[in-house]
Amino acid sequence: MGVSAPIHPGRSTRAAPTIAQVEPITTARALRGPFDYRLGEELRDEVEIGSMLVVPFGRRQMLGVVIGLGEDSEVPPERLLEPVRALELGVPAELIRLAEWIAAEYCSTFARALGLVLPPGAARRLSGRRRRAVAAPRHTSVGVPSPRPPALSDDQQAVLAPLLEALAGDDARQVLLHGVTGSGKTEIYLRAAAAALERGRGAIVLVPEIALTPQIVSRFIERFGETVAVLHSRLTAGQRYEQWRRLREGEARVCVGPRSAVFAPISGLGLIVLDEEHDSSYKHEGDPRYDAREVAAERASRSGALLLAGSATPRPESSQRMPRLELPRRVDGRPLPPVSVLDMRGSRSGLHPATAAALAKVRDDGGKAIVLLNRRGWSNFLSCRSCGRVWSCPECDVALVLHRAGGYLACHHCGHRESTPSSCPDCDSASVARHGAGTERLAHDLAGVLDDGEFPVFRLDADVLGRGASAQPGALLAEFQAARSGALIGTQMVAKGHDFPDVSLGVVLDADATLRFPDFRAEERTFALIAQLAGRAGRGGDGRVLVQTIAPEARPIRYAARHDSTGFLAEELQRRRALGYPPFGHLIRIVLGAEQASAARRAAEELRERLTVALPRAAAGPPPGLDAGPEEAATRLLGPAALFRLRGRERQVLVVKTRHRREAVAATGEAVTAVAAGRRHSGVTFSVDVDPQ
Ligand SMILES: [Zn+2]
Ligand SMILES: [Zn+2]
């Protein structure tokens, strides 16, 4: 069975369709749909794009989704089969089209992109009930129930007025809400959602991580009650499906969740909120490597909805593209806390004397402090004092990190673990040096100094969370909130969206660590991390922030110390324009992996040759990382260059830098497919990342 008939954009207006083009829902790669099925009388009027059908396939039955409808098929009529039955609920046609867009935009396949929009656990739902007639979701108009919303500040009122105006129309609009931490952005989201509901439309509220932002979820539930569906990673498959069903049937009209909630089956969408729009968790790291912020913009534009992106530290991309509304002051009227930059050059101690003194003072005053160190574990690496051996991962070319409480060394890239050595396997020396400090050691050391029984030290990082249900971030954050005084030590998780009014001291250690990554976003990330943490101190009264660094003059640190995100953005955009980086150009990153370095290299060279021909007006340039200054060429191809070995695979990278995104993505996809098909590259894996983070 094969299909070459054109896929019609919708149901024919002339007659009910007789042929359904069905994409099978399967992980088997060999099964590439769509396949044609004949619709019998009974199904002809019911089936539409997005319907889920149980279809005969060979000797078994499979679940598939209808991606097109038509009247003709190239399959001879006597070989066309009929679906067994249709499931009760299908996917909105709008989401099928969105999946098509994602496949093209992110160099993936339609089948994989469809996987994003199907109901949770779709592949396992073969025994779904026979459906009723396709019920159009109810468009209930929901008023604002019980709790009376708080009065708005003048700033909030000024911001809300144009948003309500935008929500009153049917035109798609985008707005960046640039508001300092504590300026009341959440109340704006709530009012915008209420306005969308009053017009009988739905809303999606995207947040970076539900577990770290319980406050925003509870405020939406408190305000809108039963019409809110919450999607998060701790739901069981059944619970997830139930939330999906409530949204699909129109019982729930507001969906709050992380990036995948952008695919919530809400019809009549009026609003998409992107909270903390700078957060990197909006980028999906599996194929399709979509960016939920871009998908949200596309979906809002297709639905005539308002896209409302909020942040205290907006991305240069958003600030360039979207009209901006500002909330420059905190709702409590208090100023942002003063930030002191502490120069750590030449220091051998982890804590500056001023930091140690400030922490002791918070303890003595019975206050609270947050300390950010963006590095997990006890020590960064171990080395042998006699022969210099460094313990590194057998699968990746990176040093292993000591986790002392667990008694193991771990690779933070592939998860490899081995027990902590008592001696060097190369020279038998028992003298092993531990270098650097991570959150585990910092929390231990600070507890030793500060915890006198009245001042508990809490730790929040991925290792703590890995211990299971007892250490959920929500519970841990609630404990810190309930404590009369104490310190919260952790990785970047402590700088996320939560809100503690009584934290008077914020500390960032090793603030330039993120600057040392060879990535054009390093400055943006460093700025956001410091500015976000700085905004979390002193909400209830006097506060101060200390930033320890060996690069006190670095641009992001200077701007963050002044809380000057507008100044930072202006300079960052200038730099990006000069270098052709987003938003002034697009990047496509192709990583090739193989067991043998030579195999990866050969495939990369061949890919480079093909790309040089295929890319729109391609020009070869220096390898990634070496910037040649202002760009003239519309498209440049950088690399191949070697990356460090990961999970036992030698890697090569090529980067396409272009102003012609669509054409470059298509050309890259074709070139990769062609090279990957070559038998001499059979052991090589290819991964294409459009807009890599
Ligand atoms: Zn040794
Ligand atoms: Zn590893």
Side-chain angles (χ1 to χ4, degrees):
M1 276 185 273
V3 165
S4 58
I7 295 173
H8 296 280
R11 186 181 287 193
S12 158
T13 48
R14 286 178 291 132
T18 49
I19 303 294
Q21 288 146 7
V22 176
E23 186 71 37
I25 298 168
T26 169
T27 47
R29 273 179 145 270
L31 271 185
R32 277 281 177 91
F35 302 102
D36 283 5
Y37 286 88
R38 181 177 51 230
L39 295 173
E41 289 288 330
E42 195 192 347
L43 285 178
R44 215 165 278 177
D45 292 324
E46 290 183 12
V47 169
E48 48 190 20
I49 289 177
S51 292
M52 311 260 297
L53 302 176
V54 178
V55 291
F57 198 88
R59 262 185 261 164
R60 47 200 190 109
Q61 296 187 350
M62 286 201 340
L63 187 61
V65 60
V66 178
I67 61 163
L69 293 165
E71 280 119 55
D72 334 284
S73 172
E74 296 227 326
V75 181
E78 68 278 9
R79 288 186 51 203
L80 275 173
L81 300 175
E82 286 191 21
V84 179
R85 64 177 186 276
L87 296 198
E88 195 172 340
L89 288 175
V91 180
E94 175 211 353
L95 289 179
I96 302 289
R97 296 295 161 236
L98 191 67
E100 211 168 27
W101 177 85
I102 287 172
E105 195 76 357
Y106 293 99
C107 212
S108 187
T109 64
F110 191 17
R112 286 198 185 160
L114 275 178
L116 299 170
V117 304
L118 294 174
R124 290 193 299 274
R125 306 197 73 80
L126 246 184
S127 54
R129 280 173 296 158
R130 163 147 188 95
R131 72 177 193 170
R132 308 188 291 262
V134 189
R138 278 170 283 155
H139 289 250
T140 40
S141 172
V142 181
V144 180
S146 43
R148 184 191 292 267
L152 297 180
S153 68
D154 291 349
D155 286 343
Q156 284 175 316
Q157 272 170 18
V159 156
L160 190 62
L163 293 178
L164 294 181
E165 202 177 301
L167 282 161
D170 290 325
D171 295 340
R173 298 273 290 275
Q174 298 191 356
V175 174
L176 174 63
L177 180 57
H178 182 186
V180 299
T181 44
S183 60
K185 292 189 288 290
T186 305
E187 185 57 35
I188 299 294
Y189 304 153
L190 287 160
R191 299 289 182 111
L197 289 174
E198 273 161 24
R199 294 198 65 222
R201 302 184 72 171
I204 293 176
V205 181
L206 299 177
V207 295
E209 272 165 81
I210 287 279
L212 293 173
T213 50
Q215 281 144 337
I216 189 166
V217 176
S218 53
R219 285 183 69 185
F220 267 85
I221 292 173
E222 188 183 275
R223 190 73 58 91
F224 301 116
E226 284 292 296
T227 199
V228 177
V230 180
L231 298 174
H232 57 83
S233 59
R234 287 176 201 272
L235 296 180
T236 64
Q239 289 168 329
R240 203 179 286 267
Y241 181 78
E242 175 58 12
Q243 297 297 313
W244 188 91
R245 185 201 61 75
R246 291 180 61 228
L247 290 161
R248 181 71 181 103
E249 296 198 316
E251 283 172 28
R253 301 286 289 147
V254 178
C255 180
V256 184
R259 62 169 178 262
S260 59
V262 75
F263 304 113
I266 296 179
S267 55
L269 198 61
L271 172 72
I272 302 182
V273 170
L274 265 170
D275 186 31
E276 309 284 352
E277 70 93 28
H278 61 276
D279 198 279
S280 57
S281 70
Y282 285 122
K283 174 80 177 177
H284 182 63
E285 290 306 335
D287 189 0
R289 295 168 184 272
Y290 71 91
D291 188 322
R293 294 168 290 208
E294 302 300 324
V295 177
E298 180 67 18
R299 189 166 177 198
S301 137
R302 287 164 180 247
S303 322
L306 170 69
L307 178 74
L308 176 56
S311 176
T313 55
R315 289 179 305 156
E317 285 92 332
S318 315
S319 92
Q320 169 76 7
R321 262 188 238 153
M322 301 184 191
R324 189 191 321 199
L325 294 172
E326 301 205 23
L327 289 172
R329 284 171 284 267
R330 289 177 164 183
V331 275
D332 60 10
R334 297 190 188 274
L336 288 161
V339 178
S340 313
V341 176
L342 303 173
D343 189 347
M344 296 299 281
R345 282 174 293 190
S347 166
R348 292 181 57 87
S349 151
L351 284 190
H352 192 280
T355 308
L359 282 166
K361 183 167 188 314
V362 170
R363 193 253 334 257
D364 296 343
D365 295 349
K368 285 185 188 173
I370 297 183
V371 183
L372 171 91
L373 174 63
N374 208 7
R375 199 161 51 223
R376 296 187 283 131
W378 185 272
S379 296
N380 308 353
F381 70 98
L382 301 186
S383 70
C384 170
R385 284 206 173 91
S386 305
C387 74
R389 176 188 212 272
V390 171
W391 272 259
S392 54
C393 177
E395 300 293 319
C396 317
D397 291 333
V398 295
L400 293 171
V401 177
L402 170 65
H403 292 256
R404 204 183 71 155
Y408 59 86
L409 305 180
C411 171
H412 285 184
H413 291 270
C414 72
H416 164 84
R417 283 186 182 191
E418 54 189 70
S419 53
T420 310
S422 50
S423 64
C424 173
D426 292 350
C427 74
D428 278 343
S429 162
S431 182
V432 177
R434 299 166 170 189
H435 305 270
T439 43
E440 183 188 13
R441 172 152 187 201
L442 180 69
H444 175 272
D445 290 358
L446 287 182
V449 179
L450 299 171
D451 190 355
D452 51 5
E454 304 278 308
F455 194 82
V457 172
F458 301 90
R459 184 177 125 218
L460 179 61
D461 58 33
D463 300 313
V464 176
L465 302 187
R467 283 186 210 148
S470 60
Q472 289 187 9
L476 202 136
L477 292 171
E479 237 183 292
F480 177 60
Q481 183 157 26
R484 247 182 303 154
S485 65
L488 176 65
I489 318 294
T491 53
Q492 32 88 26
M493 286 182 185
V494 302
K496 301 257 174 168
H498 48 73
D499 181 6
F500 304 110
D502 48 358
V503 169
S504 55
L505 175 67
V507 178
V508 183
L509 301 182
D510 207 356
D512 43 275
T514 42
L515 271 182
R516 297 194 286 266
F517 287 108
D519 176 357
F520 78 96
R521 289 186 212 274
E523 307 218 329
E524 172 193 339
R525 290 226 176 90
T526 306
F527 173 81
L529 200 58
I530 300 171
Q532 288 286 338
L533 185 86
R536 314 222 168 267
R539 289 211 194 167
D542 293 335
R544 61 185 300 211
V545 177
L546 304 174
V547 176
Q548 293 192 183
T549 175
I550 54 168
E553 294 305 314
R555 203 165 53 93
I557 293 176
R558 278 188 290 117
Y559 277 110
R562 296 201 300 264
H563 302 287
D564 183 4
S565 50
T566 305
F568 174 76
L569 281 170
E571 217 180 302
E572 181 65 11
L573 279 168
Q574 246 175 29
R575 185 182 76 98
R576 299 237 184 135
R577 187 192 294 274
L579 298 173
Y581 281 126
F584 304 101
H586 303 275
L587 299 182
I588 305 169
R589 189 170 182 262
I590 309 131
V591 176
L592 301 90
E595 271 173 33
Q596 301 294 323
S598 55
R601 181 81 197 180
R602 270 199 307 275
E605 293 289 357
E606 190 182 323
L607 182 59
R608 181 194 165 82
E609 275 168 38
R610 276 186 183 270
L611 283 171
T612 308
V613 180
L615 285 170
R617 275 159 292 163
L626 294 178
D627 286 308
E631 293 218 37
E632 300 305 322
T635 299
R636 282 158 57 95
L637 177 60
L638 311 176
L643 292 176
F644 72 87
R645 194 169 53 105
L646 180 69
R647 296 188 174 91
R649 297 184 77 77
E650 302 285 349
R651 298 182 303 154
Q652 291 279 326
V653 63
L654 284 151
V655 175
V656 178
K657 215 164 150 186
T658 183
R659 288 175 205 207
H660 306 288
R661 181 195 171 104
R662 268 291 170 111
E663 295 88 332
V665 170
T668 302
E670 279 167 31
V672 166
T673 308
V675 176
R679 198 173 286 168
R680 59 194 175 286
H681 303 307
S682 58
V684 182
T685 51
F686 298 76
S687 105
V688 181
D689 192 354
V690 184
D691 304 331
Q693 292 286 310

